[in-house]
Amino acid sequence: MAERILLIEDDPRLAAMVREYLGAAGFRVTHAANGKGGLALHGRGAFDALVLDLMLPDMDGLEVCRQVRAQADTPILMLTARGDAMDRVVGLEIGADDYLPKPFEPRELLARLRAILRRKSGPAPRDVLRFGRLEVDRGARRARLDGNDCLLTSHQFALLNALADHAGRVMSRDALMDLLKGETAEAFDRSVDVHVSRIRAAIEDDPKKPRRIITVRGAGYVFAREQD
């Protein structure tokens, strides 16, 4: 059965090209030319993924992303012509699965779309990972230390989960970004360091002397397999 894609894009020529290309690849594409129309279609139909333009005529694409994510876990691929990396960071933190800057090659769009669909349909991981007093609850998307919730954003939890899933292995920034969103690090490379710092503030007994997420100079980070 063909997978259903919801395309929210106000540029009619680009929308027609994407519909034709994805249609030829075996997808069923439904198009909305604005955010409100896209939200209405998403609310009525079951879609396997959403391709979302951030620059829409009636509302901010980030708000569309936020509302979709509040209702469902539909994979979201953002299309953006914006030069400000912060828009992409915010989009990823509020629940988008990947982004693609305009202009783009249709085959890259197809590859990224297939990648987020594979991640959605992949084998379910263990719901809770335990490392001493620290629990990483993937089902609830929460981390707990000594039974108390740790305050983490969605993106920070995803980063913690990626580290915990590879406990004992040194993970480079590029490898972490690939695991998180299937993209190269680019402007987000240093944001990994910022998020790690904030995660440490939430899960370490002494963030200045971390024992759970350890920096390996020149290589990246390692999540300690054995913890108290």
Side-chain angles (χ1 to χ4, degrees):
M1 186 174 182
E3 290 171 302
R4 295 190 62 196
I5 307 299
L6 175 58
L7 170 65
I8 305 178
E9 168 61 62
D10 64 316
D11 183 334
R13 293 180 61 185
L14 178 59
M17 181 273 289
V18 170
R19 290 187 69 176
E20 181 179 357
Y21 193 86
L22 294 182
F27 294 98
R28 292 174 56 198
V29 181
T30 301
H31 173 234
N34 56 56
K36 291 180 180 178
L39 287 170
L41 284 169
H42 183 267
R44 293 197 301 266
F47 293 95
D48 296 291
L50 192 158
V51 179
L52 171 64
D53 184 11
L54 287 189
M55 299 290 287
L56 296 170
D58 60 335
M59 62 189 298
D60 194 328
L62 293 174
E63 179 59 25
V64 176
C65 179
R66 186 179 290 108
Q67 291 190 34
V68 168
R69 188 52 73 237
Q71 300 169 2
D73 61 354
T74 311
I76 300 173
L77 174 61
M78 300 184 300
L79 304 179
T80 175
R82 296 176 175 176
D84 186 358
M86 187 53 63
D87 287 322
R88 299 192 291 269
V89 172
V90 171
L92 295 171
E93 287 195 344
I94 64 177
D97 295 85
D98 200 357
Y99 82 92
L100 185 60
K102 297 177 180 178
F104 55 83
E105 289 290 335
R107 59 184 178 181
E108 183 178 5
L109 170 67
L110 177 60
R112 287 180 181 270
L113 185 59
R114 283 174 169 165
I116 63 174
L117 287 167
R118 282 197 303 271
R119 288 197 291 273
K120 180 187 177 184
S121 62
R126 288 179 294 158
D127 284 342
V128 181
L129 300 177
R130 293 182 174 83
F131 302 88
R133 296 179 292 129
L134 178 67
E135 291 184 353
V136 180
D137 187 336
R138 301 198 238 208
R141 293 187 65 79
R142 292 178 181 271
R144 290 181 287 269
L145 184 64
D146 294 327
N148 299 313
D149 284 345
C150 303
L151 297 179
L152 299 171
T153 67
S154 175
H155 191 69
Q156 288 159 13
F157 178 84
L159 178 55
L160 173 62
N161 182 51
L163 286 162
D165 203 33
H166 296 79
R169 292 176 53 188
V170 177
M171 303 296 293
S172 69
R173 294 177 183 84
D174 285 352
L176 288 169
M177 291 309 300
D178 286 343
L179 283 171
L180 285 174
K181 301 300 173 187
E183 60 180 79
T184 57
E186 295 181 359
F188 302 106
D189 183 70
R190 297 306 299 175
S191 79
V192 171
D193 298 336
V194 173
H195 286 305
V196 165
S197 176
R198 291 172 181 167
I199 294 169
R200 282 172 169 162
I203 70 170
E204 297 281 2
D205 296 313
D206 183 354
K208 294 182 179 179
K209 298 179 180 178
R211 299 172 64 90
R212 293 185 171 89
I213 302 177
I214 302 164
T215 301
V216 180
R217 189 177 297 276
Y221 299 98
V222 61
F223 189 83
R225 188 185 300 274
E226 301 295 330
Q227 302 180 22
D228 60 11

